[in-house]
Amino acid sequence: MKMNLSYSLKFAKSLIFPKAEKKSIARKSLFGAVLCIGLSIVPLVVVTSVTNGMIDGMTERIIGLSSSHIQAYVAPNISKVKTVEAFTKYAAESAEVRGVIAAYPEVEISALAAGKNGRSGIEIRAVEPDIFIRNKSFAKLFDVCEGELGEFVATEKTENSKTSHPLAIIGQKLSKDMDLHAGDTIRIITTRSAGENSERIVPKLTSFKIGAVVSSGYQELDQFWVFVPLETAYKSLSMESANYNIMIETQDAFSPELVAIQKRLSDYFGRYANVYRWDQIHTAEFENFSSTKVMLVFVMMLIVLVATVNISSAIVMLVMERQKEIAILKSIGAKPRGITFAFLLAALSCGAGGLILGLPVGILLTVFSNQLVHGLERLVNWFSTLGGGGEVHLMDPAYYLSEIPVEIPVNQVILIAAAVLLLSVLVSYLPSRKAGREKPLDILRKN
């Protein structure tokens, strides 16, 4: 009798679930291997999902709040940036280029800020006041921690009639460091030359009322930002060291058309501006993100590989336990590849069992990752308080996002499942092949 596929399936089933209940060290090893694979898959799924969510969240904030999809660095000495009206018109005209859906003029000035608690270097971002409503990224990604944006947004209409000082919006980190809150006054110091041909630099002090304190959830990005109205910057700040930018928004930051839109914008601006895509401006950050992600997944996959090696050990023990059955099957016509296939099916079933055990747990932990982190943080702080220690932040916004963007990467989960099944078969191939090559006479003679 030849051993066909159905007999291979039946033999594989008997290897994992034998009818005769008897003590089997190999079976225990198989189920132990299933448990090890399941436990190794849980952190792999969680790390992959959380890393993807974190990187995507950081990327979204860097693109949407810092450079937009494309940024044009405008020459500072041309007539188109001499007045706020001319600069605003210049930016609006660039929005007519095919593929561009919006353009936002911005002036960046490095300055010094003085508050209740010392001084700090800041980055002034002079923008149109309604950018917090008109720009979808600003509206979505900025959370108001104190105050409100309404008065700042209406600056052009009210012309600051309600306050003796022009309004500013500051980041949450700067607010904590300088002990400043909504309604307080922040003094900003910029510099200018004493005369047209003078090398002497003199400071220029301008006071602003803090209209709101905001946070993007990514402290490393917004910790030095101070937003002021574009018109106020032209009127009240020294513009000698200013950088003039136009943030240009397209339909999709990841579209293949982005390069073509950049080319059209370069033709439009000519020699008056340098035009760069977001991935050119933030190359270092995204290379760091990518390398971190690859290394984490590589380490997790090594753990899975070690877990799948347990299957190989279990198959070796299973082959030793089932030598008599192998001898009988081969003596009645079973082919070597049929025996090998049966043991490979047993190994594949172990890998599938580990997936069934580990994937749901990993996905569940990912979905509730924020709640778990906050609960663990409260527990750690409780023990820290008992020991007289300070407050501990597991998700410090100085390095991470304050909230983990929950995202289940379906494609990568499928890839993980395929990799686990493939590894389960590969590590078990040699002992399974050896089982198929066993000679019945040798086996009977040994036993």
Side-chain angles (χ1 to χ4, degrees):
M1 183 185 70
K2 294 184 179 181
M3 188 174 186
N4 55 23
L5 179 61
S6 63
Y7 281 93
S8 294
L9 292 172
K10 288 179 182 179
F11 184 46
K13 181 181 177 182
S14 70
L15 292 175
I16 304 173
F17 305 106
K19 291 182 179 180
E21 289 296 331
K22 60 179 181 179
K23 292 182 179 179
S24 172
I25 298 175
R27 277 189 67 205
K28 291 180 181 179
S29 298
L30 281 175
F31 289 116
V34 170
L35 181 62
C36 288
I37 291 173
L39 291 175
S40 67
I41 288 172
V42 172
L44 177 59
V45 172
V46 172
V47 167
T48 302
S49 302
V50 169
T51 302
N52 279 348
M54 280 287 187
I55 289 177
D56 290 347
M58 291 175 182
T59 302
E60 184 183 18
R61 283 159 176 78
I62 289 172
I63 295 173
L65 305 180
S66 180
S67 64
S68 197
H69 303 175
I70 296 175
Q71 190 159 14
Y73 295 89
V74 183
N77 299 319
I78 63 174
S79 60
K80 296 183 184 292
V81 299
K82 291 301 181 184
T83 64
V84 65
E85 293 81 8
F87 190 30
T88 304
K89 182 181 178 182
Y90 192 41
E93 289 173 349
S94 68
E96 297 175 4
V97 174
R98 183 161 57 90
V100 176
I101 61 175
Y104 307 96
E106 176 184 348
V107 176
E108 292 183 356
I109 306 172
S110 297
L112 185 68
K116 298 177 183 177
N117 191 21
R119 299 180 179 182
S120 173
I122 60 169
E123 181 184 348
I124 299 174
R125 297 186 63 184
V127 294
E128 293 176 300
D130 64 349
I131 192 172
F132 286 92
I133 296 176
R134 194 157 55 94
N135 186 300
K136 293 180 181 179
S137 295
F138 275 63
K140 172 187 174 184
L141 300 175
F142 273 125
D143 292 325
V144 179
C145 306
E146 294 181 32
E148 56 183 23
L149 298 173
E151 194 175 353
F152 182 88
V153 171
T155 296
E156 290 180 339
K157 297 178 182 179
T158 60
E159 295 182 351
N160 293 331
S161 59
K162 295 183 180 180
T163 177
S164 57
H165 298 299
L167 289 173
I169 294 175
I170 68 173
Q172 186 180 34
K173 178 67 164 54
L174 188 65
S175 168
K176 289 181 179 180
D177 290 346
M178 302 186 70
D179 192 21
L180 292 171
H181 305 278
D184 291 344
T185 300
I186 181 172
R187 298 183 300 277
I188 294 178
I189 304 168
T190 51
T191 59
R192 59 182 177 84
S193 301
E196 189 171 328
N197 298 318
S198 175
E199 294 182 357
R200 190 163 60 92
I201 303 296
V202 295
K204 182 176 183 180
L205 178 66
T206 309
S207 296
F208 288 83
K209 177 186 174 183
I210 300 173
V213 177
V214 298
S215 172
S216 68
Y218 185 28
Q219 197 175 96
E220 186 176 339
L221 184 67
D222 64 15
Q223 59 183 325
F224 299 117
W225 285 352
V226 175
F227 293 95
V228 302
L230 190 61
E231 188 171 355
T232 301
Y234 272 86
K235 288 181 178 179
S236 306
L237 299 177
S238 172
M239 305 290 282
E240 288 188 8
S241 59
N243 296 314
Y244 301 86
N245 308 321
I246 299 177
M247 295 188 297
I248 297 165
E249 190 176 356
T250 65
Q251 194 65 40
D252 183 7
F254 299 93
S255 171
E257 287 293 316
L258 202 64
V259 176
I261 297 171
Q262 178 192 20
K263 178 66 170 60
R264 289 195 287 269
L265 285 166
S266 296
D267 294 339
Y268 167 76
F269 286 111
R271 59 189 178 89
Y272 297 118
N274 294 321
V275 181
Y276 299 98
R277 300 186 310 275
W278 64 268
D279 56 328
Q280 294 174 315
I281 298 171
H282 304 289
T283 301
E285 290 93 329
F286 294 115
E287 285 182 352
N288 183 36
F289 290 161
S290 298
S291 60
T292 301
K293 181 178 176 180
V294 169
M295 285 303 299
L296 284 173
V297 173
F298 176 72
V299 171
M300 293 297 106
M301 283 304 297
L302 285 179
I303 296 174
V304 174
L305 178 60
V306 171
T308 55
V309 170
N310 291 326
I311 296 180
S312 178
S313 302
I315 294 296
V316 170
M317 298 179 68
L318 196 61
V319 170
M320 294 174 65
E321 280 191 357
R322 295 303 183 96
Q323 282 187 335
K324 289 183 180 180
E325 287 91 333
I326 294 171
I328 294 170
L329 288 170
K330 295 197 76 172
S331 65
I332 60 176
K335 289 187 176 181
R337 65 170 177 267
I339 300 291
T340 300
F341 185 60
F343 281 98
L344 288 177
L345 281 176
L348 186 66
S349 300
C350 288
L355 287 172
I356 293 171
L357 183 66
L359 280 180
V361 177
I363 292 172
L364 193 65
L365 290 177
T366 300
V367 171
F368 294 98
S369 54
N370 282 302
Q371 293 86 336
L372 290 171
V373 169
H374 293 320
L376 183 60
E377 190 174 84
R378 285 193 292 269
L379 183 64
V380 170
N381 282 319
W382 183 72
F383 281 109
S384 179
T385 302
L386 291 179
E391 189 175 3
V392 177
H393 295 283
L394 298 181
M395 293 300 296
D396 193 335
Y399 310 103
Y400 311 103
L401 296 180
S402 55
E403 291 289 327
I404 301 171
V406 176
E407 177 185 340
I408 306 297
V410 178
N411 292 336
Q412 292 191 22
V413 169
I414 293 173
L415 186 63
I416 288 170
V420 169
L421 295 176
L422 181 62
L423 284 173
S424 300
V425 173
L426 289 178
V427 299
S428 306
Y429 177 72
L430 289 179
S432 300
R433 186 166 176 264
K434 183 180 178 182
R437 289 190 168 189
E438 291 278 9
K439 295 180 180 179
L441 290 177
D442 292 340
I443 295 173
L444 293 174
R445 190 178 296 115
K446 291 177 183 176
N447 290 276

